[in-house]
Amino acid sequence: MIKLTNVSKEYAKGGFALRDVSLHVKKGEFVFLTGHSGSGKSTTMRLSHMAERPTSGEVRVTGYTSDRITQRALWKIRRRVGFVFQDFRLLPGRTALENVSFVLEVTGTPRKDIVPRAQRLLTRVGLTPKAGSLVHELSGGEQQRVAIARALANSPYVLLADEPTGNLDDRATRGVMDLFWDINANGMAVLMATHDLELVRRYPKARVLELDNGRLVYDSAAA
Ligand SMILES: Nc1ncnc2c1ncn2[C@@H]1O[C@H](COP(=O)(O)OP(=O)(O)O)[C@@H](O)[C@H]1O
Ligand SMILES: [Mg+2]
């Protein structure tokens, strides 16, 4: 699914964000990527869907390799990899349904299928009654579930989530985690970055990776 081999990432102004990281997220796995703030989690997540290229080493994502990547391949990757952020990044002033419909539109879904499919996706995340609500009228947990519905729109092979519960209270966190767990139980790989170790401990069946200062220092699958 996602394979990093000896990946380093150096920023012109930030020095090394990652140093010689190798990791492999396999089909159907649930993986937490943990580490203190600044340890390189978000950098790993961006490299994992080729929003950025490594300084050295190689990234493979759903069959594509970072050292010979075309614009066409990037579009394919956008469809094969769903992405969820801490701050939701929904279109403001639009409804939940419009937010999900929008990605279906830009990825070429036949017009007549868009609304029914967006509605199904909102049902999948438990938001049927909120489809017509403007996103700013929704709670944080509900907004994140709209973002998850959007991320699932193109039936990705893997879901990446960068601190998806960082802005949520306990109850909303549980709702979002239950949803990720259920999505994973249906076969989708999930890679979730979080600094919240208490949350990670609640899911002892998940695989845990830990970054420290840009280096991978722990992998529960190798322990
Ligand atoms: N775009 C960037 N430009 C410069 N430095 C960056 C950039 N993105 C991240 N960094 C640096 O890389 C390191 C890792 O950051 P990040 O991946 O955001 O860590 P985390 O998500 O674990 O908090 C930090 O020292 C950060 O300042
Ligand atoms: Mg981060």
Side-chain angles (χ1 to χ4, degrees):
M1 256 329 79
I2 295 177
K3 189 171 189 187
L4 276 61
T5 309
N6 304 118
V7 165
S8 293
K9 178 69 182 176
E10 185 179 13
Y11 290 110
K13 284 182 189 143
F16 275 93
L18 289 180
R19 292 164 202 268
D20 199 23
V21 168
S22 296
L23 62 88
H24 188 184
V25 176
K26 299 184 194 77
K27 212 170 154 182
E29 278 192 310
F30 195 114
V31 182
F32 285 114
L33 182 62
T34 66
H36 296 297
S37 175
S39 60
K41 301 184 296 298
S42 293
T43 302
T44 304
M45 300 302 270
R46 288 194 297 271
L47 290 167
S48 294
H49 68 128
M50 298 218 195
E52 289 178 4
R53 242 41 69 69
T55 307
S56 61
E58 185 187 84
V59 179
R60 286 185 68 83
V61 183
T62 64
Y64 294 96
T65 304
S66 55
D67 57 4
R68 39 194 149 83
I69 195 86
T70 60
Q71 188 57 42
R72 206 179 131 78
L74 284 177
W75 277 103
K76 281 264 170 61
I77 292 167
R78 295 286 131 81
R79 286 159 148 263
R80 292 181 181 184
V81 182
F83 208 100
V84 177
F85 305 90
Q86 175 169 353
D87 56 359
F88 321 136
R89 303 199 192 172
L90 300 173
L91 297 171
R94 307 284 189 92
T95 65
L97 189 71
E98 287 166 345
N99 265 273
V100 180
S101 299
F102 182 73
V103 252
L104 292 169
E105 250 169 75
V106 298
T107 50
T109 306
R111 186 144 292 278
K112 64 169 179 25
D113 298 338
I114 291 176
V115 168
R117 205 154 135 205
Q119 267 158 345
R120 268 204 306 282
L121 286 157
L122 287 171
T123 299
R124 174 81 181 82
V125 300
L127 281 183
T128 315
K130 304 279 180 169
S133 301
L134 295 169
V135 291
H136 68 259
E137 296 168 346
L138 300 175
S139 70
E142 289 168 343
Q143 290 188 48
Q144 192 58 296
R145 283 189 279 148
V146 175
I148 295 167
R150 180 179 62 180
L152 297 177
N154 288 306
S155 311
Y157 301 179
V158 52
L159 186 64
L160 302 181
D162 192 357
E163 305 270 4
T165 61
N167 287 357
L168 305 180
D169 64 20
D170 272 358
R171 210 179 128 204
T173 293
R174 234 175 296 125
V176 162
M177 290 307 299
D178 285 352
L179 189 53
F180 282 150
W181 209 250
D182 187 51
I183 288 165
N184 174 253
N186 282 298
M188 198 180 295
V190 176
L191 175 61
M192 171 173 161
T194 180
H195 67 274
D196 185 351
L197 291 179
E198 202 182 311
L199 185 150
V200 170
R201 275 193 285 269
R202 276 186 247 152
Y203 297 90
K205 284 190 182 146
R207 181 176 163 201
V208 182
L209 305 174
E210 186 188 343
L211 286 168
D212 182 24
N213 198 17
R215 290 182 191 279
L216 191 69
V217 294
Y218 176 74
D219 178 353
S220 65

